[in-house]
Amino acid sequence: MTYRALISRIPATAVVCWFSAATWPVAADDRAASLLEAINREVSSLYEKSRDAVVRVHALHRPAPGGITLMPPRRVGTGFFIRPNGTLVTAATIVSGAESCTVEFHNAHLMARLLGCDPRSNLAVLKVDPPNRETPALPLGDPHDLHVGSMVVAIGFPYDLPSAPSVGFVGGFDIRQGRHVFPTSHLRASCRLSPGQAGSPLLNARGELVGMAVAAHAENDCYALPIDAAQKVWTDILNKGAPQHGWVGLEVTEKSADVAPAARLVVAQVFSNTPAAQAGFLPGDTLLRIETNDVHRLADLMNTMFYRQAGD
C-alpha cells in the first residue's frame, strides 16, 4: 500500500488530533515562557518605579548596663516614605529607644527625628529633611482587595546589600502567630524577611502599598500589617503624638466552631473601673455586634476594635 493510500484511509479527525498532540507541548512551553517574561517585566517595572521611595534605616542604641543585651546596639531595617515632606515609617523594633537614627536617601545619610512608636503594631514614624528635594511617596492600595493567592512584592534591604524585590503570594489573613495575638489581622505572604528587611513595604501587582512587613514567619514567609491599619497608627502619631487605641476592659473567650456563630464570643472577665464595667457587662455575656459590625470570631472583635478611637 502506498503512503498516499494509507493517508487516505485515516480519518481526518485523527490526522488533526495527531498533529495537535505533537505540537501542543511546544505551544504550551511558548505560552509559559511568554507568561514568565511578562511577569518578569512587570516586577522589574514595579521595582524601578517604587525603589526611590524605599530607604535603609540605621538606629544606634545605647548598650545595656553591664554590657549584656539581646539586641545589637546598631540596628538596620527598611522604611518607606508616606509623604513628600520626608515623613517615613519603619518597624518600631528597629528604632524604638534609639539614641540616633539616620536614613540613606540618594546616597546621603540624613539625620532622622523619631516622631512616635507603637509597639503593638510594630510601627514607628520618622522625619527627615532632604535638602532641596521632595521625597517620593508610595501610592496607597486597598488590602481588602487581596485574597489567598494574590501576588505581592516586598522591597527591602537584605543584610548589607542594595534594595531588591521579593515576589510572593498571600497565604492567609491571621490574627495569631503561635501564642502571639496580633492587634488586628495581618497578611501572611510567602516573601522571605531577611535581616535588614523589617519595615519593608508590601506592594500589590499594581505597585500600590498594601502592607508593611513587621514579623518573620517560618523560613520563607512574613507577616505584614495591612496598610489601612498602618495608616490609622501613623495618622494618630502625626496628629496626636501617640497611637490612640480603643479599649473597653473585657477579656473574651472564643468558643469552638461547633457552637452557633452568634454565641461564640463570651465575656470571661470584666475589669473594674473600665467602660465595660460602667456599661454593665457581666462574665458570661455573649458579644453579638459592635455598632453595626457583627462579631462571631476573635478576629472580628480585634479588627473592629483596632480601628476605633479612644473616646468612641
Side-chain angles (χ1 to χ4, degrees):
M1 182 180 293
T2 65
Y3 176 78
R4 184 183 300 276
L6 177 63
I7 292 296
S8 67
R9 293 191 177 189
I10 300 176
T13 54
V15 176
V16 171
C17 291
W18 184 82
F19 280 110
S20 297
T23 58
W24 179 81
V26 176
D29 288 346
D30 288 345
R31 287 196 297 271
S34 297
L35 179 60
L36 290 175
E37 290 173 0
I39 293 174
N40 179 65
R41 288 193 298 270
E42 289 300 319
V43 172
S44 296
S45 174
L46 184 154
Y47 171 67
E48 291 299 326
K49 289 189 295 186
S50 307
R51 61 185 299 183
D52 283 350
V54 184
V55 295
R56 178 178 270 134
V57 178
H58 300 263
L60 180 62
H61 293 256
R62 182 187 299 274
I68 300 176
T69 179
L70 297 178
M71 296 291 288
R74 293 182 180 272
R75 302 176 199 170
V76 181
T78 298
F80 54 92
F81 291 111
I82 57 172
R83 294 188 177 178
N85 65 352
T87 303
L88 67 141
V89 297
T90 187
T93 49
I94 301 298
V95 300
S96 179
E99 284 190 318
S100 63
C101 300
T102 57
V103 170
E104 292 183 31
F105 179 59
H106 283 275
N107 299 317
H109 286 256
L110 305 176
M111 293 300 299
R113 302 190 303 278
L114 179 60
L115 301 184
C117 278
D118 179 32
R120 282 188 67 193
S121 61
N122 194 15
L123 182 144
V125 182
L126 301 174
K127 177 72 165 59
V128 297
D129 297 310
N132 305 319
R133 184 190 294 269
E134 286 192 343
T135 49
L138 294 170
L140 299 184
D142 187 351
H144 300 286
D145 289 340
L146 299 175
H147 52 79
V148 173
S150 294
M151 191 182 81
V152 288
V153 179
I155 299 178
F157 291 85
Y159 301 98
D160 59 349
L161 302 172
S163 68
S166 176
V167 179
F169 298 90
V170 174
F173 305 87
D174 300 341
I175 197 69
R176 301 176 186 270
Q177 182 189 22
R179 294 184 178 181
H180 176 72
V181 179
F182 293 120
T184 187
S185 293
H186 280 41
L187 306 173
R188 175 166 39 86
S190 56
C191 299
R192 184 172 183 176
L193 197 63
S194 300
Q197 290 181 299
S200 295
L202 205 69
L203 310 177
N204 62 18
R206 296 186 293 273
E208 298 167 336
L209 187 60
V210 291
M212 183 184 81
V214 294
H217 173 67
E219 183 177 350
N220 294 310
D221 286 2
C222 74
Y223 277 116
L225 179 70
I227 204 59
D228 53 350
Q231 185 179 27
K232 190 266 182 189
V233 174
W234 80 54
T235 300
D236 283 348
I237 291 174
L238 291 174
N239 292 343
K240 299 183 179 180
Q244 306 292 304
H245 294 299
W247 182 69
V248 295
L250 291 175
E251 182 178 317
V252 178
T253 299
E254 181 178 6
K255 291 190 175 181
S256 60
D258 56 355
V259 177
R264 286 183 190 165
L265 290 182
V266 177
V267 176
Q269 183 177 358
V270 181
F271 297 99
S272 59
N273 300 319
T274 63
Q278 295 170 11
F281 276 95
L282 297 172
D285 285 348
T286 299
L287 294 184
L288 301 178
R289 68 182 58 88
I290 298 176
E291 293 182 341
T292 59
N293 297 314
D294 292 337
V295 289
H296 302 315
R297 302 173 301 129
L298 179 61
D300 298 334
L301 177 63
M302 300 291 286
N303 292 337
T304 301
M305 290 303 303
F306 185 87
Y307 295 93
R308 294 295 183 269
Q309 298 282 353
D312 284 352

